Amino acid sequence: GQNIDQPTEMTATEGAIVQINCTYQTSGFNGLFWYQQHAGEAPTFLSYNVLDGLEEKGRFSSFLSRSKGYSYLLLKELQMKDSASYLCAVLYNTDKLIFGTGTRLQVFP
Amino acid sequence: DAGVTQSPTHLIKTRGQQVTLRCSPISGHKSVSWYQQVLGQGPQFIFQYYEKEERGRGNFPDRFSARQFPNYSSELNVNALLLGDSALYLCASSLLQGTTTGELFFGEGSRLTVL
């Protein structure tokens, strides 16, 4: 199978930092994506990693370790609008983008 | 520029009926993928089409079928609807078959309710 595991729910305080982890099966790996999805809306692209290391984009950063089958999404200076589901998705063999179940993040004031 | 457009946005069907969902990709995008998202879950891959040919299929029964037209728009058909088919059906487009740039753009989805 191509199971992708991420925590179901997380909570954090406005202004804080939160790290959302994702583990996946490495066979056939061809890239990892993070998407943000607000309730009732379509997913929107956040980041893409295909090589090991950290990709920084404003308040959001994403890390990948291909050998460990591990990624995380780091959100800094949390804002209330960051309350959403965060989806980890892995591209396998160029034709299947497999999503995890998503991590529902709630940011409190 | 218009994004990915899907129709209808909402629809209600009864068990045993058939449904057709439509998707228009971003202009210039040749790859269209379909996903099913049940409430509280991540999207599940159904199909990918590139240049009018099926290039990938997820673990869905044969009741699910799709096609891509010469203008790269796509239709998803589901026959003999079951209650469990109730979900948000998402269409995503990308420029290439392999999304090497990570730019997979989603439409707002078609929310199907089966009664």
Side-chain angles (χ1 to χ4, degrees), chain A residues 30 33 35 37 40-45 47-48 87 91 94-102, chain B residues 35 37 40-43 45 48 55-57 90 97-104 106-108:
Chain A
N30 201 33
F33 302 79
Y35 286 85
Q37 187 176 28
E41 298 182 9
T44 56
F45 170 79
S47 68
Y48 170 69
L87 301 165
L91 187 64
T94 76
D95 64 359
K96 291 184 180 180
L97 186 62
I98 307 298
F99 284 82
T101 56
Chain B
Y35 291 83
Q37 187 173 26
Q41 299 292 317
F45 174 76
Q48 189 205 25
R55 296 304 178 98
R57 173 185 282 255
L90 294 164
Q97 176 184 3
T99 55
T100 56
T101 65
E103 295 292 343
L104 193 67
F106 284 89
E108 294 299 317

Short mmCIF file of all heavy atoms in Angstrom, two decimals, chain A residues 30 33 35 37 40-45 47-48 87 91 94-102, chain B residues 35 37 40-43 45 48 55-57 90 97-104 106-108:
data_model
loop_
_atom_site.label_atom_id
_atom_site.label_comp_id
_atom_site.label_asym_id
_atom_site.label_seq_id
_atom_site.Cartn_x
_atom_site.Cartn_y
_atom_site.Cartn_z
N ASN A 30 8.01 10.18 -5.71
CA ASN A 30 8.41 11.11 -6.77
C ASN A 30 8.11 12.55 -6.39
O ASN A 30 8.03 13.41 -7.27
CB ASN A 30 7.71 10.74 -8.07
CG ASN A 30 8.44 11.29 -9.29
OD1 ASN A 30 9.67 11.38 -9.28
ND2 ASN A 30 7.71 11.66 -10.31
N PHE A 33 3.92 16.92 -1.38
CA PHE A 33 3.22 18.20 -1.41
C PHE A 33 2.50 18.44 -0.09
O PHE A 33 2.08 17.50 0.57
CB PHE A 33 2.16 18.20 -2.51
CG PHE A 33 2.70 17.92 -3.88
CD1 PHE A 33 2.99 16.63 -4.28
CD2 PHE A 33 2.91 18.95 -4.77
CE1 PHE A 33 3.48 16.36 -5.55
CE2 PHE A 33 3.39 18.70 -6.04
CZ PHE A 33 3.68 17.40 -6.43
N TYR A 35 -0.81 20.76 1.17
CA TYR A 35 -1.94 21.59 0.76
C TYR A 35 -2.67 22.07 2.00
O TYR A 35 -2.72 21.39 3.02
CB TYR A 35 -2.92 20.81 -0.11
CG TYR A 35 -2.44 20.56 -1.52
CD1 TYR A 35 -1.62 19.47 -1.81
CD2 TYR A 35 -2.79 21.40 -2.56
CE1 TYR A 35 -1.18 19.23 -3.09
CE2 TYR A 35 -2.36 21.18 -3.85
CZ TYR A 35 -1.55 20.09 -4.11
OH TYR A 35 -1.11 19.87 -5.38
N GLN A 37 -6.47 23.29 3.31
CA GLN A 37 -7.88 23.23 2.93
C GLN A 37 -8.74 23.79 4.04
O GLN A 37 -8.85 23.20 5.12
CB GLN A 37 -8.29 21.80 2.60
CG GLN A 37 -9.71 21.70 2.02
CD GLN A 37 -10.09 20.28 1.59
OE1 GLN A 37 -9.58 19.32 2.13
NE2 GLN A 37 -10.98 20.18 0.62
N GLY A 40 -15.03 23.41 3.62
CA GLY A 40 -15.94 23.72 2.52
C GLY A 40 -15.27 24.27 1.28
O GLY A 40 -15.97 24.64 0.33
N GLU A 41 -13.94 24.32 1.28
CA GLU A 41 -13.23 24.87 0.14
C GLU A 41 -12.31 23.83 -0.50
O GLU A 41 -12.07 22.77 0.08
CB GLU A 41 -12.43 26.10 0.55
CG GLU A 41 -13.30 27.23 1.08
CD GLU A 41 -12.49 28.47 1.45
OE1 GLU A 41 -11.28 28.51 1.13
OE2 GLU A 41 -13.06 29.37 2.07
N ALA A 42 -11.80 24.15 -1.67
CA ALA A 42 -10.86 23.25 -2.34
C ALA A 42 -9.47 23.37 -1.71
O ALA A 42 -9.13 24.41 -1.13
CB ALA A 42 -10.79 23.60 -3.83
N PRO A 43 -8.65 22.33 -1.80
CA PRO A 43 -7.27 22.43 -1.33
C PRO A 43 -6.47 23.46 -2.14
O PRO A 43 -6.68 23.59 -3.35
CB PRO A 43 -6.71 21.02 -1.57
CG PRO A 43 -7.90 20.14 -1.71
CD PRO A 43 -8.97 20.99 -2.32
N THR A 44 -5.59 24.16 -1.46
CA THR A 44 -4.70 25.10 -2.14
C THR A 44 -3.26 24.71 -1.87
O THR A 44 -2.90 24.33 -0.75
CB THR A 44 -4.95 26.55 -1.70
OG1 THR A 44 -4.82 26.63 -0.29
CG2 THR A 44 -6.33 27.01 -2.11
N PHE A 45 -2.44 24.83 -2.88
CA PHE A 45 -1.04 24.39 -2.84
C PHE A 45 -0.23 25.26 -1.87
O PHE A 45 -0.32 26.48 -1.89
CB PHE A 45 -0.47 24.49 -4.24
CG PHE A 45 1.01 24.31 -4.34
CD1 PHE A 45 1.57 23.04 -4.30
CD2 PHE A 45 1.86 25.39 -4.48
CE1 PHE A 45 2.94 22.86 -4.39
CE2 PHE A 45 3.22 25.23 -4.57
CZ PHE A 45 3.77 23.96 -4.54
N SER A 47 3.32 23.84 -0.68
CA SER A 47 4.74 23.58 -0.89
C SER A 47 4.94 22.26 -1.61
O SER A 47 4.06 21.40 -1.65
CB SER A 47 5.49 23.54 0.44
OG SER A 47 5.09 22.41 1.19
N TYR A 48 6.14 22.12 -2.15
CA TYR A 48 6.54 20.92 -2.88
C TYR A 48 7.99 20.62 -2.55
O TYR A 48 8.85 21.50 -2.62
CB TYR A 48 6.38 21.16 -4.37
CG TYR A 48 6.97 20.09 -5.26
CD1 TYR A 48 6.42 18.83 -5.31
CD2 TYR A 48 8.08 20.37 -6.07
CE1 TYR A 48 6.95 17.86 -6.14
CE2 TYR A 48 8.61 19.40 -6.90
CZ TYR A 48 8.04 18.15 -6.93
OH TYR A 48 8.57 17.18 -7.75
N LEU A 87 -3.02 19.00 4.38
CA LEU A 87 -2.97 17.70 3.71
C LEU A 87 -1.56 17.43 3.21
O LEU A 87 -0.99 18.24 2.48
CB LEU A 87 -3.94 17.68 2.53
CG LEU A 87 -5.41 17.94 2.84
CD1 LEU A 87 -6.18 18.24 1.56
CD2 LEU A 87 -6.02 16.74 3.54
N LEU A 91 3.42 12.04 -4.45
CA LEU A 91 3.30 11.64 -5.85
C LEU A 91 4.08 10.36 -6.05
O LEU A 91 5.29 10.30 -5.79
CB LEU A 91 3.86 12.74 -6.75
CG LEU A 91 3.66 12.55 -8.25
CD1 LEU A 91 2.18 12.59 -8.61
CD2 LEU A 91 4.44 13.61 -9.02
N THR A 94 4.78 9.24 -10.78
CA THR A 94 4.33 10.35 -11.64
C THR A 94 2.84 10.37 -11.96
O THR A 94 2.37 11.32 -12.57
CB THR A 94 5.09 10.41 -12.99
OG1 THR A 94 4.61 9.39 -13.86
CG2 THR A 94 6.57 10.29 -12.80
N ASP A 95 2.09 9.34 -11.57
CA ASP A 95 0.70 9.40 -11.99
C ASP A 95 -0.33 9.31 -10.87
O ASP A 95 -1.51 9.44 -11.12
CB ASP A 95 0.42 8.29 -13.02
CG ASP A 95 0.58 6.90 -12.41
OD1 ASP A 95 0.93 6.81 -11.22
OD2 ASP A 95 0.36 5.93 -13.15
N LYS A 96 0.12 9.12 -9.64
CA LYS A 96 -0.84 9.04 -8.55
C LYS A 96 -0.40 9.96 -7.43
O LYS A 96 0.66 9.78 -6.84
CB LYS A 96 -0.92 7.61 -8.00
CG LYS A 96 -1.54 6.61 -8.95
CD LYS A 96 -1.65 5.26 -8.27
CE LYS A 96 -2.27 4.24 -9.20
NZ LYS A 96 -2.38 2.92 -8.56
N LEU A 97 -1.24 10.93 -7.13
CA LEU A 97 -1.00 11.80 -5.99
C LEU A 97 -1.89 11.30 -4.86
O LEU A 97 -3.11 11.41 -4.93
CB LEU A 97 -1.33 13.25 -6.34
CG LEU A 97 -0.98 14.29 -5.27
CD1 LEU A 97 0.51 14.31 -5.02
CD2 LEU A 97 -1.46 15.68 -5.70
N ILE A 98 -1.25 10.72 -3.85
CA ILE A 98 -1.98 10.08 -2.74
C ILE A 98 -1.95 11.01 -1.55
O ILE A 98 -0.87 11.44 -1.10
CB ILE A 98 -1.34 8.73 -2.38
CG1 ILE A 98 -1.23 7.85 -3.63
CG2 ILE A 98 -2.15 8.04 -1.29
CD1 ILE A 98 -2.54 7.51 -4.28
N PHE A 99 -3.12 11.28 -1.02
CA PHE A 99 -3.26 12.19 0.11
C PHE A 99 -3.36 11.44 1.43
O PHE A 99 -3.94 10.34 1.50
CB PHE A 99 -4.52 13.04 -0.04
CG PHE A 99 -4.40 14.16 -1.03
CD1 PHE A 99 -4.57 13.91 -2.38
CD2 PHE A 99 -4.11 15.44 -0.61
CE1 PHE A 99 -4.46 14.94 -3.30
CE2 PHE A 99 -4.00 16.48 -1.52
CZ PHE A 99 -4.19 16.22 -2.87
N GLY A 100 -2.84 12.04 2.48
CA GLY A 100 -3.14 11.59 3.83
C GLY A 100 -4.53 12.06 4.22
O GLY A 100 -5.20 12.77 3.46
N THR A 101 -4.95 11.70 5.41
CA THR A 101 -6.30 12.06 5.85
C THR A 101 -6.39 13.53 6.26
O THR A 101 -7.49 14.05 6.42
CB THR A 101 -6.74 11.18 7.03
OG1 THR A 101 -5.77 11.30 8.07
CG2 THR A 101 -6.88 9.73 6.61
N GLY A 102 -5.24 14.18 6.41
CA GLY A 102 -5.26 15.59 6.77
C GLY A 102 -5.13 15.81 8.26
O GLY A 102 -5.56 14.98 9.07
N TYR B 35 -10.61 13.35 -7.86
CA TYR B 35 -10.48 12.88 -6.50
C TYR B 35 -11.85 12.86 -5.82
O TYR B 35 -12.70 13.71 -6.10
CB TYR B 35 -9.55 13.79 -5.68
CG TYR B 35 -8.11 13.72 -6.10
CD1 TYR B 35 -7.64 14.47 -7.18
CD2 TYR B 35 -7.22 12.87 -5.44
CE1 TYR B 35 -6.33 14.39 -7.58
CE2 TYR B 35 -5.90 12.80 -5.84
CZ TYR B 35 -5.47 13.55 -6.90
OH TYR B 35 -4.16 13.46 -7.31
N GLN B 37 -13.51 13.13 -2.06
CA GLN B 37 -13.21 13.48 -0.67
C GLN B 37 -14.45 13.33 0.19
O GLN B 37 -15.41 14.10 0.07
CB GLN B 37 -12.67 14.92 -0.56
CG GLN B 37 -12.18 15.24 0.84
CD GLN B 37 -11.50 16.60 0.93
OE1 GLN B 37 -11.76 17.49 0.14
NE2 GLN B 37 -10.60 16.74 1.89
N GLY B 40 -14.21 14.76 6.33
CA GLY B 40 -13.25 14.42 7.37
C GLY B 40 -12.07 13.60 6.91
O GLY B 40 -11.21 13.23 7.72
N GLN B 41 -12.01 13.32 5.63
CA GLN B 41 -10.91 12.53 5.07
C GLN B 41 -10.15 13.34 4.03
O GLN B 41 -10.63 14.36 3.54
CB GLN B 41 -11.44 11.25 4.42
CG GLN B 41 -12.18 10.33 5.37
CD GLN B 41 -11.26 9.72 6.40
OE1 GLN B 41 -10.15 9.27 6.09
NE2 GLN B 41 -11.69 9.70 7.66
N GLY B 42 -8.97 12.85 3.67
CA GLY B 42 -8.25 13.46 2.58
C GLY B 42 -8.80 13.01 1.24
O GLY B 42 -9.51 12.00 1.16
N PRO B 43 -8.51 13.73 0.17
CA PRO B 43 -8.97 13.32 -1.16
C PRO B 43 -8.41 11.97 -1.56
O PRO B 43 -7.23 11.68 -1.30
CB PRO B 43 -8.43 14.43 -2.07
CG PRO B 43 -8.18 15.60 -1.16
CD PRO B 43 -7.78 15.01 0.15
N PHE B 45 -7.60 9.44 -4.72
CA PHE B 45 -7.34 9.48 -6.15
C PHE B 45 -8.26 8.53 -6.90
O PHE B 45 -8.36 7.35 -6.55
CB PHE B 45 -5.87 9.12 -6.40
CG PHE B 45 -5.50 8.98 -7.84
CD1 PHE B 45 -5.30 10.10 -8.63
CD2 PHE B 45 -5.31 7.73 -8.40
CE1 PHE B 45 -4.93 9.96 -9.96
CE2 PHE B 45 -4.94 7.58 -9.73
CZ PHE B 45 -4.75 8.70 -10.50
N GLN B 48 -6.45 9.79 -13.43
CA GLN B 48 -5.73 10.86 -14.06
C GLN B 48 -5.79 10.68 -15.58
O GLN B 48 -5.61 9.57 -16.08
CB GLN B 48 -4.25 10.92 -13.63
CG GLN B 48 -3.57 12.17 -14.14
CD GLN B 48 -2.06 12.04 -14.28
OE1 GLN B 48 -1.53 10.95 -14.44
NE2 GLN B 48 -1.36 13.15 -14.23
N ARG B 55 -4.10 7.75 -17.58
CA ARG B 55 -2.72 7.51 -17.20
C ARG B 55 -2.60 6.97 -15.77
O ARG B 55 -1.51 6.63 -15.33
CB ARG B 55 -1.90 8.79 -17.33
CG ARG B 55 -1.79 9.30 -18.75
CD ARG B 55 -1.22 8.27 -19.71
NE ARG B 55 -1.16 8.74 -21.08
CZ ARG B 55 -0.05 9.22 -21.65
NH1 ARG B 55 1.05 9.34 -20.95
NH2 ARG B 55 -0.08 9.62 -22.90
N GLY B 56 -3.69 6.96 -15.07
CA GLY B 56 -3.65 6.43 -13.71
C GLY B 56 -5.05 6.18 -13.21
O GLY B 56 -5.99 6.89 -13.58
N ARG B 57 -5.20 5.16 -12.36
CA ARG B 57 -6.50 4.81 -11.82
C ARG B 57 -6.33 4.40 -10.37
O ARG B 57 -5.42 3.63 -10.05
CB ARG B 57 -7.11 3.68 -12.62
CG ARG B 57 -8.39 3.09 -12.06
CD ARG B 57 -8.84 1.90 -12.87
NE ARG B 57 -9.48 2.31 -14.11
CZ ARG B 57 -10.79 2.27 -14.33
NH1 ARG B 57 -11.60 1.86 -13.38
NH2 ARG B 57 -11.28 2.65 -15.48
N LEU B 90 -13.50 16.31 -6.47
CA LEU B 90 -12.57 17.38 -6.83
C LEU B 90 -11.89 17.05 -8.15
O LEU B 90 -11.47 15.92 -8.38
CB LEU B 90 -11.51 17.56 -5.75
CG LEU B 90 -12.00 18.07 -4.40
CD1 LEU B 90 -10.94 17.83 -3.33
CD2 LEU B 90 -12.34 19.55 -4.49
N GLN B 97 2.02 15.78 -17.16
CA GLN B 97 1.55 14.54 -16.55
C GLN B 97 2.17 14.38 -15.17
O GLN B 97 1.50 14.11 -14.21
CB GLN B 97 1.92 13.34 -17.41
CG GLN B 97 1.55 12.02 -16.77
CD GLN B 97 2.01 10.84 -17.58
OE1 GLN B 97 2.65 11.01 -18.60
NE2 GLN B 97 1.68 9.65 -17.14
N GLY B 98 3.48 14.54 -15.11
CA GLY B 98 4.13 14.51 -13.82
C GLY B 98 4.19 15.93 -13.30
O GLY B 98 4.72 16.81 -13.94
N THR B 99 3.66 16.15 -12.14
CA THR B 99 3.57 17.53 -11.63
C THR B 99 4.91 17.92 -11.02
O THR B 99 5.01 18.11 -9.83
CB THR B 99 2.44 17.67 -10.62
OG1 THR B 99 2.64 16.71 -9.57
CG2 THR B 99 1.09 17.42 -11.26
N THR B 100 5.92 18.04 -11.84
CA THR B 100 7.26 18.29 -11.34
C THR B 100 7.39 19.65 -10.69
O THR B 100 8.28 19.87 -9.91
CB THR B 100 8.28 18.16 -12.47
OG1 THR B 100 7.91 19.06 -13.52
CG2 THR B 100 8.31 16.76 -13.01
N THR B 101 6.50 20.58 -11.01
CA THR B 101 6.58 21.89 -10.39
C THR B 101 5.71 21.98 -9.15
O THR B 101 5.73 22.97 -8.46
CB THR B 101 6.11 22.98 -11.36
OG1 THR B 101 4.72 22.79 -11.64
CG2 THR B 101 6.89 22.91 -12.66
N GLY B 102 4.92 20.95 -8.88
CA GLY B 102 4.04 20.97 -7.73
C GLY B 102 2.77 21.74 -7.94
O GLY B 102 1.97 21.87 -7.05
N GLU B 103 2.58 22.29 -9.12
CA GLU B 103 1.44 23.14 -9.35
C GLU B 103 0.23 22.33 -9.80
O GLU B 103 -0.08 22.22 -10.96
CB GLU B 103 1.77 24.20 -10.40
CG GLU B 103 2.84 25.19 -9.96
CD GLU B 103 2.36 26.08 -8.83
OE1 GLU B 103 1.14 26.17 -8.61
OE2 GLU B 103 3.21 26.69 -8.17
N LEU B 104 -0.45 21.75 -8.82
CA LEU B 104 -1.70 21.03 -9.07
C LEU B 104 -2.82 21.93 -8.58
O LEU B 104 -2.90 22.24 -7.41
CB LEU B 104 -1.69 19.70 -8.33
CG LEU B 104 -2.76 18.68 -8.69
CD1 LEU B 104 -2.56 18.16 -10.09
CD2 LEU B 104 -2.74 17.53 -7.71
N PHE B 106 -6.74 22.85 -7.95
CA PHE B 106 -8.03 22.21 -7.71
C PHE B 106 -9.19 23.15 -8.02
O PHE B 106 -9.11 24.36 -7.79
CB PHE B 106 -8.15 21.78 -6.24
CG PHE B 106 -7.37 20.54 -5.91
CD1 PHE B 106 -6.05 20.62 -5.51
CD2 PHE B 106 -7.97 19.29 -5.99
CE1 PHE B 106 -5.33 19.48 -5.20
CE2 PHE B 106 -7.26 18.14 -5.69
CZ PHE B 106 -5.94 18.24 -5.29
N GLY B 107 -10.25 22.56 -8.53
CA GLY B 107 -11.52 23.27 -8.62
C GLY B 107 -12.22 23.26 -7.28
O GLY B 107 -11.74 22.65 -6.32
N GLU B 108 -13.36 23.95 -7.20
CA GLU B 108 -14.10 24.05 -5.95
C GLU B 108 -14.87 22.77 -5.61
O GLU B 108 -15.34 22.61 -4.51
CB GLU B 108 -15.06 25.23 -5.99
CG GLU B 108 -14.37 26.59 -6.06
CD GLU B 108 -13.51 26.83 -4.83
OE1 GLU B 108 -13.95 26.52 -3.71
OE2 GLU B 108 -12.38 27.34 -5.00
#
